[in-house]
Amino acid sequence: MYRLPSVYERVIELGTKIISCPKECCGVNKNLNEGVIPRVFFVEPFLSENPKGLNYEKAKITILGFNPGHILPFEAITYRLILEKYNCLTSPHDPMCYKRAFKEIHDIWIKCFGGWELEKLPVRFSYFRNTKKLLCEISQLLERYQGIKQGEPVLWAELVYCESEKRKVLLPEKTVYNCVSKYLKSVLDLSSGLIICIGMGTFNYIMKIKECKLSGKGDDHFHELKEALRGKIVLGFYHASGGGGANFRKYFEDRRK
C-alpha cells in the first residue's frame, strides 16, 4: 500500500526549496555567502522529545509568523559553514547539496529551539520560548477541543522566510506576495486543523485570504490559498517578542495574581 511521505520528509523537501530560493526580493536580506539564509521552517513533536511524532502525514498545529528576526553573527557563521560543507556555494544548482545542508540545519534548529523544557531554551530566542509557554498553557484546551495530543507534530513556518532589510519597516507588498505565492500553499497542505498566527500582521494577512480581500492580483493564487484554509481554525495572538512582547505577556497576568 502506498504511504504518503511523513511530515518530516515533506518539511525537508520544502525546506530545501526555501533555502535555495533563487529569487531576489526588495526589502529583505539574503546572502548565502555570508550565511544569511531564508529560515524558520521546521517540525517537532508537541510536548515530547519522541521523534516518532514526526511520522504523521501532517502537522496538527502550525505556528505561523510573518518573517524571521535579524540573524545573530554566530548563526550566520554556522549556516555559512554548513553551506560550504555540502558545496552549496560552489554548486548552487544542485538540489541535493541544499537538501543535505537543510537536514543539518533542521537538526540544529531542533536542538536549539526544540524541546519543551522551557528553562533550557535560550532567553535570546524569546519568540520560541514565549510561544511554547503559551502552547503549554493551553495544551489541555487543545486536546479537549481539537484532539491535539502529546507527541503529534508542530510545524513552525513563516509568511516570508527572509529577514527584513530594515527593522520596524513594513516589507514591500510585492515581496510578501512573492514568498506567499511560492510557499504558503505547500505549508497549508502540510497542516491539518489549527493555524496559530503569531503577530497581528500575520493574523490579519491570513484572514484577508480567508475573506477574499486579497483577490484581484492577476491570478487565482489567493483562491487556492482560501481553499487550502477551508476547514482550518485560525487563531491570532500578539507577537511573542519584540514590540509585541508586552501585549503577549498579558496572556499570563492572571497566573501571577
Side-chain angles (χ1 to χ4, degrees):
M1 181 181 294
Y2 175 74
R3 180 186 70 85
L4 285 173
S6 69
V7 65
Y8 171 77
E9 293 168 320
R10 295 167 72 191
V11 163
I12 295 300
E13 292 296 331
L14 182 55
T16 299
K17 295 176 182 178
I18 289 172
I19 67 164
S20 60
C21 179
K23 206 164 187 68
E24 297 294 335
C25 297
C26 296
V28 295
N29 288 327
K30 184 180 72 171
N31 189 329
L32 301 192
N33 287 312
E34 295 181 5
V36 184
I37 64 171
R39 59 194 187 278
V40 188
F41 185 64
F42 68 98
V43 63
E44 64 172 322
F46 182 45
L47 296 176
S48 172
E49 313 299 321
N50 189 343
K52 289 184 178 179
L54 304 185
N55 291 329
Y56 288 80
E57 291 177 3
K58 292 189 176 185
K60 292 301 183 75
I61 306 172
T62 296
I63 309 297
L64 191 61
F66 202 91
N67 71 319
H70 280 244
I71 198 166
L72 297 175
F74 79 89
E75 289 181 89
I77 291 170
T78 300
Y79 300 146
R80 158 86 194 205
L81 290 173
I82 292 172
L83 293 172
E84 286 181 336
K85 175 181 176 181
Y86 294 106
N87 300 317
C88 297
L89 304 180
T90 55
S91 303
H93 304 296
D94 184 354
M96 288 308 299
C97 293
Y98 284 105
K99 185 172 184 177
R100 296 185 191 101
F102 183 73
K103 277 187 175 182
E104 185 163 333
I105 290 169
H106 186 278
D107 287 346
I108 288 174
W109 285 340
I110 292 293
K111 289 176 182 176
C112 291
F113 313 134
W116 300 86
E117 296 181 47
L118 302 187
E119 67 279 0
K120 293 184 178 181
L121 292 178
V123 176
R124 178 62 180 80
F125 298 106
S126 57
Y127 175 83
F128 299 100
R129 185 187 183 104
N130 292 341
T131 302
K132 288 190 171 194
K133 182 180 179 182
L134 174 65
L135 292 176
C136 290
E137 290 283 337
I138 65 174
S139 60
Q140 292 184 353
L141 295 175
L142 292 175
E143 181 171 3
R144 181 182 304 169
Y145 295 107
Q146 291 296 305
I148 296 168
K149 299 178 182 178
Q150 181 181 14
E152 294 179 326
V154 177
L155 178 65
W156 297 79
E158 304 277 357
L159 290 178
V160 177
Y161 290 94
C162 289
E163 66 179 49
S164 301
E165 189 174 40
K166 297 180 180 179
R167 299 177 188 271
K168 300 181 180 180
V169 175
L170 293 177
L171 291 176
E173 181 181 351
K174 178 64 174 176
T175 294
V176 179
Y177 175 77
N178 285 344
C179 211
V180 165
S181 63
K182 198 171 181 69
Y183 302 117
L184 184 58
K185 173 65 162 54
S186 297
V187 170
L188 295 176
D189 288 343
L190 279 168
S191 310
S192 66
L194 181 62
I195 310 290
I196 295 180
C197 298
I198 302 298
M200 289 299 103
T202 309
F203 177 72
N204 291 337
Y205 197 91
I206 293 296
M207 293 309 294
K208 285 179 181 178
I209 293 174
K210 290 197 74 169
E211 296 167 2
C212 297
K213 293 181 179 179
L214 287 174
S215 58
K217 297 292 182 179
D219 59 31
D220 62 354
H221 186 73
F222 284 113
H223 175 73
E224 293 178 358
L225 291 176
K226 180 178 182 294
E227 288 301 308
L229 283 165
R230 188 183 298 277
K232 293 180 172 64
I233 294 174
V234 179
L235 300 179
F237 293 93
Y238 287 112
H239 203 283
S241 61
N247 286 323
F248 187 89
R249 287 191 290 274
K250 292 178 182 178
Y251 295 132
F252 308 100
E253 285 182 350
D254 288 344
R255 293 283 186 173
R256 296 199 298 266
K257 291 180 181 178

